[in-house]
Amino acid sequence: MTFATAADPRTAPWRSGRLAALLLCLALGACAGPGDFGRPRPDVFSQLVAPQVGFWSATFRGEAASHFRMTDDEEQLRDRAWRFIMPGHERSIFQGRVSDLAHSRILPVQLQSSAVSDYFNALTSGSYASQVSRYSRLAEDANADRLLIGPFRANAMRVVSADRVRMRTAEASPHVAPSQIDPAHARVVENEGLILWVCERVGFRLESYRYALANLVVEMPSREAIRAERAIMALEAEAGPLCKLPLIGVFGDGAVEGAKPPVVYKG
């Protein structure tokens, strides 16, 4: 596959259009109200523009991208994933915008922050009546994540089961046109990549919560730390089965044997 250089005039309209789409997405994301699963309420941009821009952006980066319509379970999987992909605290505004654009595939996932201190900094940036409020918020966030992992895992298992049927049919049925094989495989890669991404980000949240707890104890010790620690431990126990789901194994083809495949697309 060949790509045009940055100076190639043929790419100028695409680049300018992408920039306009990014600015529009940021503007709309800032004013949209909450919808299902905590996501911004659906609008014209999120439903029509962002998916198309994300598809072409992912294709340009060489990522798997399928033009197939999504099943109900695939749509719901992406909605449920949004919670874990976003930063753990709403005060991480800039990182929230980046993560939202990565979720729609407009931006690459690598632009997400990997600093475990982000959550602690956001948690302690506002005014609170006492340190108890900070510990309580930490415990509440960990508990909320724990309660949502189970439904996401069940959703993921349904998607993986359907993908197994999809691939068996695509490979064995004489009625499936050859032109349908690649989009089918790309959709399976997309779905599996999304599940791996959520597993990765849940692990990142656990690290962020533990960092926040340790630094809270150092800065303002409190008996409330026990409740927060128990909430984090419960989240860790619930997250374990998610990262052990029996996936098909199509994501990360070509990776070095024994190495963890890079999570480059997620939803």
Side-chain angles (χ1 to χ4, degrees):
M1 180 181 295
T2 58
F3 296 95
T5 63
D8 193 327
R10 294 174 298 174
T11 66
W14 184 89
R15 293 200 310 274
S16 61
R18 182 183 180 188
L19 177 59
L22 289 176
L23 294 175
L24 180 60
C25 184
L26 287 170
L28 290 177
C31 61
D36 294 339
F37 304 105
R39 296 188 64 177
R41 187 177 295 112
D43 51 33
V44 173
F45 185 86
S46 65
Q47 296 296 296
L48 299 177
V49 180
Q52 191 61 39
V53 175
F55 174 84
W56 288 112
S57 297
T59 301
F60 183 81
R61 293 193 298 269
E63 298 173 10
S66 176
H67 61 76
F68 280 179
R69 292 179 291 272
M70 292 189 188
T71 66
D72 292 345
D73 277 334
E74 288 172 341
E75 290 277 11
Q76 190 175 77
L77 189 73
R78 282 150 179 77
D79 287 339
R80 292 188 183 279
W82 190 86
R83 154 85 184 196
F84 300 107
I85 289 166
M86 296 296 287
H89 202 292
E90 69 278 358
R91 287 202 181 96
S92 300
I93 298 175
F94 176 75
Q95 288 302 328
R97 296 286 176 262
V98 171
S99 295
D100 196 22
L101 290 169
H103 181 268
S104 63
R105 309 191 69 181
I106 293 174
L107 291 181
V109 170
Q110 289 85 345
L111 292 182
Q112 276 191 302
S113 174
S114 58
V116 295
S117 59
D118 287 346
Y119 178 81
F120 174 73
N121 292 336
L123 182 67
T124 56
S125 64
S127 58
Y128 288 82
S130 72
Q131 76 271 13
V132 174
S133 299
R134 291 178 167 86
Y135 284 104
S136 295
R137 173 59 191 270
L138 174 55
E140 290 168 2
D141 286 342
N143 280 323
D145 288 346
R146 176 181 57 83
L147 293 174
L148 292 174
I149 286 180
F152 177 84
R153 184 173 65 247
N155 197 162
M157 291 174 66
R158 293 195 301 271
V159 169
V160 172
S161 295
D163 280 342
R164 293 185 190 280
V165 175
R166 186 203 306 268
M167 294 310 299
R168 284 199 301 266
T169 304
E171 294 168 358
S173 176
H175 301 292
V176 176
S179 60
Q180 296 287 81
I181 304 298
D182 286 346
H185 184 268
R187 175 52 49 80
V188 176
V189 173
E190 289 175 349
N191 291 337
E192 191 164 295
L194 176 60
I195 296 168
L196 291 171
W197 190 25
V198 169
C199 177
E200 180 183 276
R201 296 310 289 184
V202 169
F204 174 72
R205 283 195 174 213
L206 278 165
E207 292 180 17
S208 299
Y209 292 158
R210 290 198 178 281
Y211 178 95
L213 178 60
N215 283 274
L216 280 176
V217 170
V218 169
E219 184 174 337
M220 48 188 80
S222 170
R223 287 178 296 180
E224 292 297 315
I226 298 174
R227 186 165 72 94
E229 183 176 22
R230 287 174 177 169
I232 295 172
M233 292 174 64
L235 171 60
E236 186 173 27
E238 188 71 21
L242 172 63
C243 298
K244 296 178 182 178
L245 283 178
L247 303 179
I248 298 174
V250 297
F251 188 84
D253 287 347
V256 177
E257 185 176 356
K260 182 180 178 181
V263 181
V264 295
Y265 166 65
K266 340 284 184 199

